[in-house]
Amino acid sequence: PPSCLPAEDISTNSNGPKQEILLDDDQEDLFAEATEEVSLDSPEREPILSDGPSPAITPVTPTVIITPRAEASMFDRSLDEDEDTEENGDTFDMQITVSDPEKVGGFGCTSLNLFSRNEFSVKRRFSDFLGLHSKLASKYMHIGYIVPPAPEKSIVGMTKVKVGKEDLSSAEFVEKRRSALQRYLTRTVTHPALLKDPDVIQFLENTELPRAVSTQALSGAGILRMVNKAAEAVNKMTIKMNESDAWFEEKQQQFENLDIQLRKLHASVESLVCHRKELSVNTASFAKSAAMLGNSEDHTALSRALSQLAEVEEKIDQLHQEQAYADFYLFSELLGDYVRLIAAVKGVFDQRMKTWSKWQDAQLLLQRKREAETKLQYANKPDKLQQAKDEIKEWETKVQQGERDFEQISKNIRQEVGRFEKQRVKDFKVVIIKYLESLVHTQQQLIKYWEAFLPEAKAIA
Amino acid sequence: MMQEGLDDGPDFLSEEDRGPRAVNVDLQTDATLQVDISDALSERDKVKFTVHTKSTLPNFKQNEFSVVRQHEEFIWLHDSFVENEDYAGFIIPPAPPRPDFDASREKLQKLGEGEGSMTKEEFTKMKQELEAEYLAIFKKTVAMHEVFLCRVAAHPVLRKDLNFHVFLEYNQDLSVRGKNKKEKLEDFFKNVVKSADGVIVAGVKDVDDFFEHEKTFLLEYHNRVKDASIKSDRMIRSHKSAADDINRIASTLYTLGTQDSTDVCKFFLKVSELFEKTRKIEARVAADEDLKLADLLKYYLRESQAAKDLLYRRGRALVDYENANKALDKARAKNKDVLQAETTQQVCCQKFEKISESAKQELIDFKTRRVAAFRKNLVELAELELKHAKGNLQLLQSCLAVLKGDT
């Protein structure tokens, strides 16, 4: 782990305002958090996006954490090299597997470093994943890194499409969650800076994680709601940002459009999953009915053909079920992930606005201090004058820092967006191809089944 | 107004739709009497069928002629058969169901109302689909009315029926109004009485093995066909819903493709194009399943009911005959009103025997027709499913080839 970070970077200050305990103390019940909703109104939400010290998190300023400049050079290197990080053979390559909690009493989390071949296996609770995300968000979002959001806590999908009773079955729910956690962790370690983050390393390697009592665990939806609140706050700012860089305005608009379309697509795909499941159920029901009809048909050959029709339909119902599974895990979940990711992207753009605003405020204050000093020059109060001069120096530094911060976050965002877009293109291409392959498989099976049935139908004499 | 485009009379049925459809009954049509519905017109709340007849029979004034009929007139014809005592021994071809465009019309209306809230492309797309749906329902109702007429024309006795000839030839309105409330209520009570009686009659064990077997068979068969019909409808509805979802997905993918400035826009556009095509195929699959499977089951639901009705009438005649026998014995024993009792008994006997004779043949024919229809439809269903699956596969594979080549 890099030496520039102290081992404990999260202060657990018990003197701060009353913390909301989100973690469940019950060891056995993994699903206690299943329907827990995160409270929006608790004031502890704010600290993550605001600057300055807060009880729950270490004051994180650019000089204390892994310096962005160092990170930036790493970025540059990775961007200059071959697009595909898989071909780097770098320490960037980590393969993550999250396994079924039933078997090990906690989500088994295995990370395999493809370069060094070091492998770690640990047990983690769902809240641990949320805790990890909250730490990373608090450390990196305000300097412009797109931190992958953690999976949803609640069962209801983001688009709130009415899903059948089957979705609430515990086996399906667990698999959904497991898969989501694996994707979350994989995205996290794909980020070059996050991969090297001590919290991430600790998460992947330490057998025991410290019980982070005061960590505020936020789900993807929680982040989204916070981002929206922050965006509202930003809009209410009296000074509208002078966008000198058209790139940012363009990109924000693009992400806005992408957001709208992805949500729409997600809703349609969720509807498809639902109808496909329904089709499977109805086909099975029809198959039984056809079998019954075949039984009562007194013409022997027709009776046999009807029974065979029933068998075909039964196989087809299985096929529909498998296809619905593919619809969901390949297509729908990807879309859901990206809707949440874009919320994180928007969050980062808003952070830049805040950084700019802070810089502007510093400039304004400096101006006032200078005016005050000018006035004091004629007032014959030497100690006050000295104080004024000191304050001017202080605020000049702050203005410089503010400008640096703004430039840094702008630079980071550019790089992050570049990386994000590459990843997005890759993800979608891969998933689209896999999904089409699943559709191909379904049609091939259908052909097989009907080809087998046709001679049976023709045999009716 | 939305409706105007759908009222095209003569052009509505394409060339391929003309000629006897008789999908659910494999009927031998001979030159002496050929009936079909050559045209149809859909108006606000009624459908006008053009019934076309070709005949060499001397009963008709011309060899070829057409009249326009509405649904109520078909029902009148059907009911006249049912009420005719001479036809008690036949399976009366089931009446065609009432044309029901309500759901489709409602959807079209809603679409018209919502025109402002969607893009022009979306609107045009949806309008086309709803119109296709409307057309499909329309074709179905035409087919069902035609099948009824063909069954009558193919029946050796019914084809000679006077009412049938009037129906075919009389080129004025038959002035057959639909039943009013009072008549509908009477019908309702008649049915209640009939089903109660039916239960009693069915309870009487038949000495004749053939009919006893048929009774048991038909009862079970009818119920299972009903269940299969309901389940197949549900299955097909889900299929249509899934196709609709794919339609929406295709549209959104298209928008994404046009908005995206990265490499992946090509993928979005190609897949959008693919899904547009595959969802049309999926919709066709649902439509074909509807025609070949659902309609088949619905038809045999109605026919099996007609067969059950025949058995009921025979059972009723048997009971009457047995009662008449008992009455005759009593009369002879008391030596009172013997002649009257003898006459009654003879009448009942003749009625029963007449029905039994034709009923046996009718039930055998029913089986033959049923087997032939199922065979035809199941074969066609399998062939169509294969055709569509292969079509889908080809589209998917060629799209995949393009996309894989790109990465």
Side-chain angles (χ1 to χ4, degrees):
Chain A
S3 52
C4 50
L5 239 204
E8 275 117 44
D9 57 343
I10 303 290
S11 64
T12 56
N13 188 339
S14 52
N15 293 334
K18 182 174 173 300
Q19 312 290 348
E20 210 176 80
I21 307 293
L22 295 160
L23 301 178
D24 181 52
D25 285 323
D26 184 354
Q27 297 277 34
E28 278 74 52
D29 192 353
L30 290 169
F31 305 120
E33 308 127 347
T35 50
E36 197 179 311
E37 278 294 304
V38 177
S39 148
L40 280 178
D41 300 314
S42 109
E44 293 90 339
R45 296 292 154 271
E46 301 302 298
I48 289 186
L49 286 185
S50 71
D51 39 53
S54 78
I57 43 176
T58 309
V60 183
T61 65
T63 53
V64 170
I65 61 157
I66 301 168
T67 61
R69 282 178 204 87
E71 279 310 289
S73 60
M74 260 197 269
F75 279 179
D76 288 334
R77 214 176 57 215
S78 72
L79 284 175
D80 287 342
E81 276 176 277
D82 213 310
E83 307 297 275
D84 210 340
T85 49
E86 256 110 281
E87 291 160 28
N88 272 353
D90 257 319
T91 46
F92 294 155
D93 289 338
M94 186 85 79
Q95 186 176 293
I96 304 283
T97 329
V98 173
S99 56
D100 196 334
E102 298 290 315
K103 297 175 188 151
V104 280
F107 287 98
C109 182
T110 306
S111 56
L112 169 64
N113 185 316
L114 293 170
F115 183 66
S116 66
R117 307 310 288 184
N118 281 343
E119 188 180 291
F120 288 91
S121 281
V122 293
K123 258 193 266 179
R124 295 287 176 254
R125 298 163 54 81
F126 182 68
S127 51
D128 293 333
F129 288 82
L130 300 185
L132 174 67
H133 171 260
S134 122
K135 288 181 195 166
L136 295 177
S138 72
K139 279 199 272 186
Y140 297 108
M141 271 187 78
H142 75 275
I143 53 163
Y145 291 6
I146 300 170
V147 175
E152 289 296 314
K153 277 181 126 191
S154 72
I155 298 169
V156 176
M158 285 181 76
T159 59
K160 297 191 170 52
V161 167
K162 186 155 187 251
V163 284
K165 274 195 225 135
E166 287 93 329
D167 279 283
L168 300 177
S169 82
S170 120
E172 265 200 58
F173 176 72
V174 171
E175 173 54 27
K176 241 174 114 163
R177 191 168 258 199
R178 183 211 65 78
S179 170
L181 290 173
Q182 185 167 305
R183 294 193 310 271
Y184 161 67
L185 215 50
T186 305
R187 287 209 174 89
T188 304
V189 302
T190 311
H191 193 299
L194 299 182
L195 176 62
K196 301 203 171 278
D197 180 276
D199 282 312
V200 173
I201 292 168
Q202 188 183 56
F203 184 93
L204 293 175
E205 297 179 0
N206 288 25
T207 353
E208 293 284 326
L209 269 191
R211 270 301 221 158
V213 170
S214 59
T215 313
Q216 287 127 32
L218 289 168
S219 67
I223 283 265
L224 184 60
R225 284 186 290 248
M226 259 174 37
V227 160
N228 287 336
K229 267 181 112 182
E232 280 167 42
V234 160
N235 285 336
K236 288 183 194 133
M237 285 188 329
T238 46
I239 306 167
K240 229 0 184 180
M241 177 166 166
N242 259 339
E243 189 53 85
S244 51
D245 197 338
W247 184 92
F248 284 90
E249 212 168 303
E250 217 178 276
K251 281 296 164 190
Q252 266 184 291
Q253 189 56 54
Q254 272 174 24
F255 281 114
E256 191 57 45
N257 294 341
L258 188 60
D259 187 35
I260 293 169
Q261 295 307 317
L262 285 182
R263 280 172 193 276
K264 216 167 144 192
L265 189 59
H266 190 208
S268 298
V269 175
E270 281 199 327
S271 178
L272 177 63
V273 171
C274 192
H275 287 134
R276 195 94 75 174
K277 282 186 178 165
E278 207 179 83
L279 177 58
S280 164
V281 165
N282 289 341
T283 305
S285 170
F286 173 70
K288 288 198 185 84
S289 188
M292 295 283 274
L293 185 63
N295 276 348
S296 63
E297 174 55 67
D298 65 352
H299 185 275
T300 337
L302 178 55
S303 169
R304 190 170 49 234
L306 284 170
S307 303
Q308 255 127 13
L309 178 68
E311 269 176 44
V312 167
E313 295 289 355
E314 216 180 286
K315 290 197 193 119
I316 289 177
D317 116 63
Q318 271 303 109
L319 212 55
H320 286 312
Q321 229 178 32
E322 283 164 24
Q323 185 60 62
Y325 191 87
D327 291 343
F328 180 73
Y329 280 104
L330 286 175
F331 208 177
S332 178
E333 288 286 76
L334 174 78
L335 292 169
D337 286 352
Y338 266 89
V339 167
R340 282 186 291 270
L341 275 165
I342 287 175
V345 172
K346 284 172 155 185
V348 136
F349 275 90
D350 285 337
Q351 282 303 299
R352 178 173 171 269
M353 295 270 271
K354 279 193 138 172
T355 309
W356 179 84
S357 174
K358 190 173 163 201
W359 175 31
Q360 296 305 304
D361 289 347
Q363 283 182 317
L364 222 65
L365 219 61
L366 176 63
Q367 177 78 4
R368 284 201 203 117
K369 296 288 176 191
R370 284 196 174 131
E371 284 164 8
E373 192 236 9
T374 319
K375 283 201 192 121
L376 282 172
Q377 288 204 330
Y378 299 107
N380 199 22
K381 289 177 185 164
D383 25 301
K384 281 237 165 101
L385 188 62
Q386 186 54 45
Q387 185 187 4
K389 287 197 199 284
D390 290 340
E391 281 178 3
I392 287 176
K393 276 223 174 61
E394 187 193 325
W395 281 97
E396 277 172 351
T397 318
K398 286 200 177 154
V399 166
Q400 279 168 7
Q401 186 61 55
E403 187 176 1
R404 272 205 299 275
D405 287 349
F406 179 71
E407 278 168 11
Q408 191 58 57
I409 193 177
S410 299
K411 185 170 178 211
N412 287 347
I413 290 178
R414 276 176 182 273
Q415 281 164 348
E416 283 287 277
V417 166
R419 194 185 54 82
F420 177 83
E421 288 288 82
K422 275 204 188 74
Q423 192 62 48
R424 177 170 77 88
V425 167
K426 202 162 125 196
D427 280 350
F428 272 85
K429 281 186 176 181
V430 164
V431 161
I432 284 174
I433 287 182
K434 277 204 190 128
Y435 183 64
L436 291 187
E437 284 172 348
S438 81
L439 293 174
V440 164
H441 170 80
T442 299
Q443 295 304 315
Q444 285 169 332
Q445 291 299 103
L446 275 175
I447 290 172
K448 217 168 86 179
Y449 299 151
W450 287 110
E451 269 176 353
F453 176 73
L454 189 55
E456 301 291 347
K458 287 186 170 162
I460 303 170
Chain B
M1 273 298 290
M2 193 79 57
Q3 303 292 338
E4 269 150 51
L6 301 161
D7 289 345
D8 308 304
D11 297 316
F12 213 161
L13 296 179
S14 65
E15 277 308 316
E16 66 182 14
D17 294 327
R18 311 245 166 122
R21 286 171 207 82
V23 275
N24 293 322
V25 273
D26 201 25
L27 294 169
Q28 314 298 333
T29 47
D30 61 87
T32 51
L33 182 60
Q34 276 179 346
V35 185
D36 67 275
I37 295 181
S38 59
D39 219 333
L41 183 65
S42 162
E43 282 177 9
R44 186 151 296 275
D45 55 354
K46 54 191 169 204
V47 180
K48 292 195 170 141
F49 302 96
T50 303
V51 178
H52 166 250
T53 313
K54 252 185 176 160
S55 174
T56 55
L57 293 176
N59 322 53
F60 300 111
K61 294 197 196 84
Q62 296 164 293
N63 281 353
E64 192 170 347
F65 48 90
S66 290
V67 293
V68 176
R69 291 285 171 248
Q70 288 183 44
H71 175 73
E72 287 74 24
E73 292 163 311
F74 286 75
I75 300 302
W76 163 81
L77 184 60
H78 170 264
D79 290 350
S80 76
F81 291 155
V82 170
E83 284 154 20
N84 191 330
E85 287 267 338
D86 288 343
Y87 301 151
F90 303 146
I91 295 179
I92 308 295
R98 193 183 71 86
D100 185 9
F101 295 98
D102 291 343
S104 193
R105 263 203 205 105
E106 207 182 292
K107 279 191 208 171
L108 273 167
Q109 196 162 2
K110 268 201 191 133
L111 179 67
E113 285 164 8
E115 186 172 354
S117 68
M118 54 180 92
T119 69
K120 192 158 189 286
E121 294 88 29
E122 280 177 329
F123 178 75
T124 318
K125 226 185 185 193
M126 287 203 71
K127 181 158 177 266
Q128 276 173 357
E129 273 159 51
L130 287 179
E131 283 176 351
E133 201 180 289
Y134 193 97
L135 185 60
I137 298 174
F138 188 80
K139 281 188 186 169
K140 266 213 243 181
T141 193
V142 168
M144 294 195 276
H145 284 75
E146 190 181 74
V147 150
F148 169 71
L149 294 177
C150 292
R151 278 271 276 123
V152 175
H155 195 283
V157 178
L158 293 176
R159 76 208 313 243
K160 300 188 199 140
D161 182 85
L162 187 62
N163 284 336
F164 183 48
H165 290 185
V166 168
F167 178 94
L168 290 176
E169 205 180 17
Y170 186 62
N171 57 14
Q172 304 287 336
D173 193 345
L174 289 174
S175 296
V176 167
R177 57 170 174 75
K179 297 192 171 163
N180 63 22
K181 263 196 204 152
K182 178 162 172 271
E183 286 165 338
K184 282 190 181 154
L185 199 60
E186 282 171 2
D187 270 356
F188 175 73
F189 281 119
K190 263 197 223 160
N191 277 330
V192 169
V193 166
K194 180 176 153 216
S195 31
D197 194 34
V199 171
I200 297 167
V201 163
V204 173
K205 183 133 173 44
D206 206 319
V207 278
D208 189 329
D209 280 341
F210 175 81
F211 284 106
E212 189 55 32
H213 164 82
E214 286 296 307
K215 201 165 51 171
T216 324
F217 162 71
L218 273 173
L219 193 59
E220 192 184 64
Y221 187 81
H222 177 79
N223 288 337
R224 292 191 178 178
V225 156
K226 192 189 268 181
D227 188 56
S229 169
I230 293 170
K231 303 280 164 66
S232 77
D233 276 346
R234 274 196 209 137
M235 179 177 76
I236 291 164
R237 254 202 307 274
S238 298
H239 218 134
K240 283 203 185 113
S241 299
D244 286 341
D245 288 325
I246 297 174
N247 196 13
R248 273 187 285 270
I249 290 170
S251 296
T252 315
L253 280 173
Y254 180 77
T255 312
L256 271 170
T258 52
Q259 278 178 359
D260 203 298
S261 52
T262 69
D263 236 17
V264 83
C265 77
K266 243 179 301 175
F267 271 59
F268 287 149
L269 290 172
K270 260 255 144 249
V271 174
S272 167
E273 198 187 313
L274 169 72
F275 282 172
E276 282 288 344
K277 295 191 190 130
T278 59
R279 78 110 198 138
K280 281 205 178 83
I281 294 182
E282 288 302 325
R284 263 256 63 102
V285 170
D288 286 340
E289 285 175 349
D290 200 19
L291 275 172
K292 302 295 170 191
L293 195 56
D295 278 356
L296 174 72
L297 294 169
K298 281 198 194 81
Y299 185 81
Y300 280 94
L301 180 62
R302 294 200 298 276
E303 269 245 30
S304 58
Q305 182 61 52
K308 277 169 77 181
D309 290 344
L310 170 61
L311 281 181
Y312 163 73
R313 288 194 294 270
R314 179 181 171 276
R316 179 78 254 161
L318 177 59
V319 167
D320 290 345
Y321 179 34
E322 284 176 351
N323 288 344
N325 273 339
K326 287 184 195 146
L328 181 58
D329 287 342
K330 248 199 212 160
R332 282 194 177 138
K334 287 188 186 161
N335 206 6
K336 190 183 173 194
D337 294 321
V338 172
L339 194 62
Q340 192 182 36
E342 274 179 351
T343 324
T344 312
Q345 192 257 23
Q346 260 181 352
V347 165
C348 285
C349 176
Q350 275 168 357
K351 186 172 174 198
F352 173 69
E353 281 177 354
K354 184 174 173 211
I355 292 179
S356 285
E357 207 180 296
S358 57
K360 190 160 187 170
Q361 191 54 50
E362 290 277 307
L363 288 166
I364 291 170
D365 288 345
F366 171 59
K367 183 165 170 172
T368 315
R369 273 199 310 274
R370 182 174 82 242
V371 172
F374 268 78
R375 184 190 186 280
K376 178 168 185 275
N377 281 9
L378 288 176
V379 167
E380 286 176 0
L381 175 70
E383 286 173 345
L384 285 165
E385 293 272 3
L386 269 172
K387 175 176 159 210
H388 295 318
K390 287 182 177 161
N392 257 340
L393 181 64
Q394 202 241 354
L395 286 169
L396 285 164
Q397 281 174 330
S398 64
C399 181
L400 257 176
V402 170
L403 294 179
K404 278 183 171 166
D406 247 4
T407 33

